[in-house]
Amino acid sequence: MYSAIVFLPLLGAIIAGIISLAGAGTRHPGGEPDAGHGGHGGGDPHHDDAHGDGHHPAAQGSRAAELITSGLLVVSALLSWVAFFSVAYGDGEVFTVPVLTFIESGAMVANWAFRIDTLTVVMLVVVNTVSALVHIYSIGYMAHDPHKPRFFAYLSFFTFAMLMLVTSDNLVQMFFGWEGVGLASYLLIGFWYKRPSANAAAIKAFIVNRVGDFGFALGIFGVFWLFASVDLGTIFANAEAVAQGEAIALEMFGQSYDGQAAITIICLLLFMGAMGKSAQVPLHTWLPDAMEGPTPVSALIHAATMVTAGVFMVARLSPIFELSDVALSAVIIIGAITAFFAATVGLVQNDIKRVVAYSTCSQLGYMFVALGVGAYPVAIFHLFTHAFFKALLFLGSGSVIHAVSDEQDMRKMGGLYRIIPVTYAMMLVGTLSLTGFPLMAGYFSKDAIVESAHAAHTGVAFFAFLLLVLSAAFTSFYSWRLVFMTFHGNARAPKDVMEHAHESPQVMLVPLYVLAAGAVLAGLIFYGPFIGDSVADFWRDSLVVDKHLLEEMHHTIFWIKALPTIAMVLGFLVAYQFYIRRPEIPAQLAEEQRVLYRFLLNKWYFDELFDAIFVRPAMWLGRFLWKRGDGWLIDGFGPDGVSARVIDVTRNVIRLQTGYLYHYAFAMLLGIALLVTWIMFGG
């Protein structure tokens, strides 16, 4: 069963890839959407094809590709739920499913096997459920794109890479899945490769993630050096002994680290990888730009797969992280800062997808705070609920974009709740869950993180607690701002756009219904097993469970428990005042607080800072090595220069070979004269 769960998406990717390659020769040269074709606002150009009617020659076989990939993902998702209930609610222990021999090199052995425990099956449910719904949604959303087989091949490959990551039984297999997700994200973000902005966003995501992956790779090397193994079972069994021992040491920068210090360094390096993949400050800059991909890609990347990989990795390696208080403090600080930073930036964004993207960045910060305080079940619980309501918000945003001719700027929307009432209702459900409305999924999981930060009783955790409460208020404000600007007030879109605005087809709405059910019920149903009284029996040995912390969290005083809800209500009231009752206030504030507004609108100038510190110097160095190093030195004096001189000499020698007999006779006479002269005077 587990092999089917993992390999069915790969099979779908292969079939769709073959169909895509088979249809490549029939494509019209102009079939790929260009920049600016996406309606009025440069949004997703999914309505365009070469003929304008959706009947493109390249569409041959695309129906088979979308049905096969979607069908296989649905089967994989159903099997994932079967595995979830059989493992999480059964009495079995952790077990492995061998697949094949992967790498054997000296003492380093990394076989491909599936590690099956509660954490694994939870991630299988999250990844495959959301991916299956995104596949189905994409059938409608990408209906007029001439390259659907390629798109579905990328989607399925993305899912397979994530499944390889979450089922890994060793760090090498995890790293291959980790890099596979990075590759697939590059392909999906840059899917519309004729758009320069999409290419730039894909390259940015790839490069920024390589920075984090460098730290992850170094962490894996360090783990192998200390434990002489990359197998997770071996690592967990010997973690405490290594932390207390002094026999094996890490040598870094001329310093030797053993025991606790070595574990801390390894955890910090591993967390560096998590920061890149899960978009934590300062390695977050790729995430908003990833919105250049099609909206289903945004939902898949931001809700259930790529960005949660870092959270999963830290939770999976919780037996190691628990041995380093310094590393856990770093996780708390980075997570709290990210949650606050992304929430402040989301206050002023105008692109509907970017608002939801910064919301993802902020919620990931919440998860890392929970990981840092040792509340690993709480972090995974929020990952689980977040997948439903965040996928709902992204796919709902795609339905809005679909309705208004690919417009993404909320300032050009308004008054849509009458035209697309179903999408409006679904967005309301997602917003209520995200902001933590009582009894919604987000209420249970996000509030639990705030309570766990307070229950940790450390200075760093209290700092995170304050930032998370502020972030909750900001989250409520920008979430309701999105709803009010998009669906309420007067219509601000051009008249022709409003006349053609329409509700999405059922193939796009049905996934929203399923996700809405998850956004409402996931917290109510799974609160007890995930973080309630039965938490230890549910998680078993799949991650570290601090029963004392969870007990403290459940007994938090009422006013602390009420703070996130109070913050949510305040955010709603301010947004209602700004965008319903007195919509002139935001423009006035932006003018009065111009410096602060520009600071937030430009995302704290992180991109400009990185451009000044890293990009421009790197470009200058590259240009210098090109012009002076390659052009002047190598071409002028190196091998190219020597070859150029040889060519010059031979070219001049060739000029002596004229082919005229009298020239040769004259040269012979000169030679004889020189020889006679030498004999006369030399002798």
Side-chain angles (χ1 to χ4, degrees):
M1 177 174 68
Y2 298 100
S3 296
I5 291 173
V6 174
F7 289 113
L8 283 178
L10 177 62
L11 177 61
I14 293 173
I15 294 174
I18 293 173
I19 294 174
S20 176
L21 292 175
T26 65
R27 288 174 185 155
H28 192 282
E32 191 73 34
D34 293 311
H37 274 44
H40 300 278
D44 288 357
H46 61 280
H47 289 134
D48 300 316
D49 56 31
H51 303 300
D53 57 1
H55 299 290
H56 194 281
Q60 297 176 1
S62 63
R63 174 62 65 179
E66 62 191 18
L67 291 180
I68 290 172
T69 55
S70 301
L72 292 176
L73 253 298
V74 169
V75 173
S76 185
L78 293 175
L79 291 176
S80 298
W81 280 100
V82 173
F84 172 75
F85 286 108
S86 63
V87 173
Y89 291 91
D91 55 359
E93 299 298 328
V94 175
F95 65 95
T96 59
V97 179
V99 178
L100 52 84
T101 300
F102 194 26
I103 297 176
E104 291 185 2
S105 178
M108 209 283 283
V109 178
N111 292 324
W112 193 352
F114 303 145
R115 181 182 178 87
I116 306 301
D117 56 18
T118 304
L119 180 59
T120 300
V121 294
V122 167
M123 293 303 298
L124 289 179
V125 164
V126 170
V127 173
N128 281 324
T129 301
V130 174
S131 182
L133 294 173
V134 167
H135 274 73
I136 296 171
Y137 179 92
S138 299
I139 295 175
Y141 193 84
M142 304 294 289
H144 299 287
D145 194 283
H147 300 272
K148 282 187 291 184
R150 178 165 62 90
F151 178 78
F152 280 91
Y154 290 168
L155 276 186
S156 291
F157 174 69
F158 191 109
T159 306
F160 164 73
M162 189 66 190
L163 293 174
M164 182 178 176
L165 192 160
V166 301
T167 58
S168 57
D169 188 45
N170 60 75
L171 291 177
V172 174
Q173 181 184 337
M174 185 182 293
F175 187 75
F176 272 81
W178 192 274
E179 294 302 308
V181 170
L183 170 62
S185 68
Y186 169 80
L187 296 173
L188 285 168
I189 294 170
F191 177 74
W192 287 313
Y193 56 82
K194 288 192 177 183
R195 298 170 61 181
S197 58
N199 287 330
I203 293 172
K204 185 176 182 179
F206 198 79
I207 292 175
V208 173
N209 273 277
R210 296 294 75 72
V211 175
D213 294 351
F214 178 69
F216 188 28
L218 290 179
I220 295 174
F221 299 156
V223 168
F224 180 71
W225 178 257
L226 290 181
F227 294 88
S229 176
V230 293
D231 180 73
L232 294 179
T234 303
I235 294 168
F236 298 158
N238 296 282
E240 289 190 11
V242 171
Q244 296 172 2
E246 299 179 357
I248 304 174
L250 286 176
E251 300 288 341
M252 293 184 64
F253 307 113
Q255 299 292 324
S256 179
Y257 304 92
D258 57 21
Q260 195 78 35
I263 292 292
T264 296
I265 290 173
I266 286 175
C267 289
L268 291 175
L269 289 172
L270 293 172
F271 178 57
M272 181 177 171
M275 288 171 60
K277 199 66 73 181
S278 294
Q280 297 297 285
V281 171
L283 301 180
H284 67 282
T285 54
W286 67 270
L287 191 65
D289 292 348
M291 297 301 98
E292 291 294 336
T295 298
V297 173
S298 304
L300 194 58
I301 289 178
H302 291 70
T305 52
M306 182 171 174
V307 294
T308 60
V311 177
F312 164 80
M313 185 262 284
V314 175
R316 171 63 82 197
L317 300 178
S318 56
I320 301 178
F321 277 84
E322 274 297 292
L323 300 173
S324 174
D325 292 336
V326 174
L328 289 178
S329 296
V331 174
I332 294 173
I333 292 171
I334 294 297
I337 292 175
T338 302
F340 178 75
F341 155 77
T344 60
V345 175
L347 297 174
V348 297
Q349 297 301 307
N350 296 310
D351 186 304
I352 186 171
K353 287 171 64 178
R354 284 181 180 266
V355 173
V356 186
Y358 277 108
S359 168
T360 298
C361 194
S362 182
Q363 296 306 304
L364 290 167
Y366 274 81
M367 297 177 204
F368 277 108
V369 169
L371 294 171
V373 301
Y376 302 100
V378 177
I380 300 301
F381 184 40
H382 193 50
L383 184 156
F384 182 79
T385 60
H386 174 266
F388 290 103
F389 62 72
K390 188 52 58 68
L392 176 61
L393 286 172
F394 265 114
L395 296 185
S397 298
S399 184
V400 172
I401 295 168
H402 181 274
V404 292
S405 303
D406 303 321
E407 181 59 71
Q408 293 183 201
D409 193 334
M410 296 185 298
R411 295 170 297 185
K412 299 178 182 178
M413 298 180 187
L416 292 176
Y417 77 93
R418 301 183 188 88
I419 302 174
I420 48 175
V422 177
T423 298
Y424 172 60
M426 296 299 100
M427 290 292 285
L428 276 182
V429 172
T431 300
L432 289 170
S433 190
L434 170 61
T435 57
F437 190 81
L439 301 183
M440 303 293 282
Y443 167 77
F444 289 100
S445 59
K446 190 171 75 171
D447 288 19
I449 293 178
V450 177
E451 294 165 13
S452 66
H454 182 268
H457 299 306
T458 65
V460 175
F462 186 72
F463 163 77
F465 167 76
L466 295 178
L467 288 187
L468 293 185
V469 172
L470 282 174
S471 301
F474 294 156
T475 299
S476 179
F477 175 84
Y478 67 66
S479 298
W480 288 110
R481 172 179 178 265
L482 183 152
V483 171
F484 294 150
M485 289 184 68
T486 303
F487 296 100
H488 292 269
N490 298 322
R492 298 178 295 277
K495 184 178 180 181
D496 60 325
V497 173
M498 295 301 295
E499 289 176 350
H500 291 88
H502 58 283
E503 189 63 86
S504 299
Q506 287 299 317
V507 72
M508 293 172 62
L509 294 179
V510 169
L512 298 185
Y513 303 150
V514 178
L515 291 170
V520 174
L521 301 175
L524 286 168
I525 296 174
F526 295 107
Y527 178 85
F530 274 70
I531 61 175
D533 295 334
S534 58
V535 59
D537 295 332
F538 182 80
W539 293 106
R540 297 188 185 89
D541 297 326
S542 60
L543 46 73
V544 174
V545 177
D546 187 342
K547 294 182 181 178
H548 177 71
L549 176 64
L550 294 177
E551 190 70 21
E552 286 280 325
M553 183 191 79
H554 293 319
H555 289 88
T556 303
I557 57 177
F558 175 77
W559 72 269
I560 294 294
K561 286 179 173 289
L563 275 179
T565 303
I566 295 171
M568 178 266 295
V569 173
L570 289 176
F572 168 79
L573 293 176
V574 174
Y576 184 81
Q577 178 74 7
F578 280 19
Y579 294 97
I580 298 297
R581 294 190 61 188
R582 298 184 60 189
E584 73 279 1
I585 291 181
Q588 295 175 359
L589 279 178
E591 184 64 27
E592 294 172 1
Q593 306 293 332
R594 187 177 305 175
V595 175
L596 178 61
Y597 176 74
R598 299 301 302 179
F599 179 72
L600 297 179
L601 189 64
N602 288 285
K603 301 156 288 188
W604 292 26
Y605 293 101
F606 268 104
D607 284 304
E608 290 77 4
L609 186 64
F610 288 167
D611 187 62
I613 297 176
F614 299 111
V615 178
R616 290 182 185 176
M619 294 292 289
W620 177 87
L621 179 62
R623 192 174 292 108
F624 173 80
L625 293 175
W626 167 39
K627 294 290 187 181
R628 306 300 297 172
D630 187 51
W632 179 76
L633 180 62
I634 297 177
D635 291 348
F637 300 97
D640 289 351
V642 172
S643 64
R645 300 295 80 75
V646 171
I647 291 174
D648 292 340
V649 171
T650 55
R651 186 181 295 113
N652 292 328
V653 171
I654 288 174
R655 292 177 181 174
L656 298 176
Q657 308 297 321
T658 63
Y660 293 109
L661 187 61
Y662 58 84
H663 285 171
Y664 301 149
F666 179 69
M668 292 171 64
L669 289 175
L670 286 179
I672 294 172
L674 290 173
L675 181 62
V676 170
T677 302
W678 180 78
I679 293 174
M680 290 176 60
F681 293 98

